[in-house]
Amino acid sequence: MASPSATDSSTVRVALAAQNQLGEGAIWNPLDSKLYWVDIEGQQLHVFDPTTGQCRQLPTTARIGTVVPARGGEVVVAQQNGLHRLNTTTGASTLLVNPLTEPSLRFNDGKCDPAGRFWVGTLDMDDRPRRAALYRLDPDGHLHTMRTHITISNGLAWTADRKTMYYIDTPTHVVQAFDYDNATGAITNARPVIRIPEADGDPDGMTIDAQGHLWIALWGGGQVVCYDPATGQKQRSIPVPAPQTTSCAFGGPDLRTLFITTARQDLSPEQLRHYPLSGSLFAVEPGVAGVPANIYVG
Ligand SMILES: O=C1O[C@@H](CO)[C@H](O)[C@H]1O
């Protein structure tokens, strides 16, 4: 586990003690002021109200890679059996599309862009490299394959000026930037802007703050790191008492709380004894605010 940065005095706290096998996909839903995340291997969707500390767990019908808020108070979930629109109150679910043709492929992380399109990627559970892809689901229901030969499709974020998209394919240890056309959803001019040292952990989920800095959860690193994509330089490192730090999202009434999901997957019995809070939801107030999450408008 990487040593935490001495520069950061921010201290994480447990927002919800849990035993998530693979907590992922944290997203703040501005429509109901709740934090959503998934337990991929636990096949559960979590809906957490930080004002009450109450959390609803909704079982899913397959591995669930991620969840995003949708217009009309519903959500879109990316499951191993396709992309579904879900009413979390009634449980009613409608299949939107399922492009997955091989049983070893599953959806992983995903987010909505500023125009309300849902971008979501996959990974191969048999660990075969470059078998995955990044998809874009448009509000008209059309699914577009945007990148292929991906290995572990992960973090996505867009700049406030809607001109740049950031993207992580975990084993590259790179955050790529793309020129992003908000009118069409086209991405061009891929270039590396951040390189994550192997020793720090594997870049997993990601979010962006109001200053345009990227906050990246590091799998195996037990930390969330903040980088300035303009310089490629690390700004901060926030240690998390759980080596498998998987995703992060700003939330709360003023978007100043950074929620962090973690996992128990791939930890040895000794690591689980040493890091018993692995699988919990953590929170920290790093002194900066995030930006509102984009909503799927399909
Ligand atoms: O997002 C993810 O990253 C991997 C570990 O790198 C994990 O299994 C997957 O959900």
Side-chain angles (χ1 to χ4, degrees), residues 22 24 40 106 108-109 123 152-154 170 202-205 219 246 265-266:
L22 188 46
E24 285 274 13
I40 297 176
R106 72 160 171 80
N108 203 47
D109 207 350
L123 63 73
I152 300 179
S153 188
N154 251 317
T170 293
D202 302 337
D204 203 327
W219 176 271
T246 54
Q265 180 174 294
D266 296 350

Side-chain angles (χ1 to χ4, degrees), residues 92-147:
S93 172
T94 307
L95 177 64
L96 297 173
V97 62
N98 184 9
L100 305 185
T101 56
E102 298 178 56
S104 66
L105 293 172
R106 72 160 171 80
F107 282 109
N108 203 47
D109 207 350
K111 292 289 183 289
C112 291
D113 69 22
R117 306 177 188 94
F118 179 31
W119 295 65
V120 60
T122 56
L123 63 73
D124 186 299
M125 292 182 286
D126 291 341
D127 295 329
R128 295 175 300 177
R130 300 168 56 79
R131 301 292 294 257
L134 176 64
Y135 297 96
R136 191 192 79 212
L137 178 65
D138 286 359
D140 64 5
H142 283 92
L143 189 73
H144 304 265
T145 302
M146 302 304 290
R147 308 297 281 181

Side-chain angles (χ1 to χ4, degrees), residues 4-263:
S5 159
T7 63
D8 206 305
S9 59
S10 305
T11 305
V12 298
R13 66 182 187 280
V14 175
L16 183 78
Q19 301 263 308
N20 286 188
Q21 286 308 307
L22 188 46
E24 285 274 13
I27 186 86
W28 180 256
N29 186 341
L31 300 179
D32 62 6
S33 299
K34 292 186 176 62
L35 186 83
Y36 289 64
W37 78 95
V38 298
D39 181 350
I40 297 176
E41 292 300 332
Q43 298 189 17
Q44 284 197 326
L45 170 63
H46 295 79
V47 184
F48 176 65
D49 182 344
T51 59
T52 64
Q54 297 300 306
C55 186
R56 284 196 301 138
Q57 280 97 12
L58 293 82
T60 59
T61 55
R63 287 185 178 90
I64 175 170
T66 199
V67 57
V68 292
R71 191 164 53 181
E74 296 182 326
V75 296
V76 174
V77 292
Q79 299 187 168
Q80 199 170 347
N81 55 2
L83 304 182
H84 300 254
R85 196 179 178 101
L86 173 67
N87 182 315
T88 57
T89 302
T90 66
S93 172
T94 307
L95 177 64
L96 297 173
V97 62
N98 184 9
L100 305 185
T101 56
E102 298 178 56
S104 66
L105 293 172
R106 72 160 171 80
F107 282 109
N108 203 47
D109 207 350
K111 292 289 183 289
C112 291
D113 69 22
R117 306 177 188 94
F118 179 31
W119 295 65
V120 60
T122 56
L123 63 73
D124 186 299
M125 292 182 286
D126 291 341
D127 295 329
R128 295 175 300 177
R130 300 168 56 79
R131 301 292 294 257
L134 176 64
Y135 297 96
R136 191 192 79 212
L137 178 65
D138 286 359
D140 64 5
H142 283 92
L143 189 73
H144 304 265
T145 302
M146 302 304 290
R147 308 297 281 181
T148 56
H149 302 96
I150 299 295
T151 301
I152 300 179
S153 188
N154 251 317
L156 285 152
W158 287 265
T159 52
D161 67 5
R162 307 182 174 188
K163 293 181 178 176
T164 304
M165 180 178 100
Y166 298 111
Y167 176 57
I168 292 171
D169 177 5
T170 293
T172 67
H173 272 258
V174 160
V175 177
Q176 285 186 300
F178 294 85
D179 294 345
Y180 164 74
D181 181 335
N182 195 50
T184 64
I187 52 174
T188 56
N189 187 22
R191 68 270 188 196
V193 290
I194 294 168
R195 294 189 187 282
I196 303 290
E198 300 266 350
D200 285 5
D202 302 337
D204 203 327
M206 172 170 63
T207 192
I208 191 166
D209 68 26
Q211 297 170 317
H213 291 172
L214 296 172
W215 295 75
I216 306 161
L218 298 188
W219 176 271
Q223 59 181 323
V224 170
V225 291
C226 175
Y227 275 80
D228 179 353
T231 64
Q233 295 304 306
K234 180 160 61 173
Q235 308 298 304
R236 305 172 63 173
S237 167
I238 296 182
V240 180
Q244 309 301 49
T245 318
T246 54
S247 77
C248 54
F250 284 97
D254 53 8
L255 295 174
R256 300 186 75 87
T257 298
L258 187 68
F259 291 99
I260 302 165
T261 59
T262 64

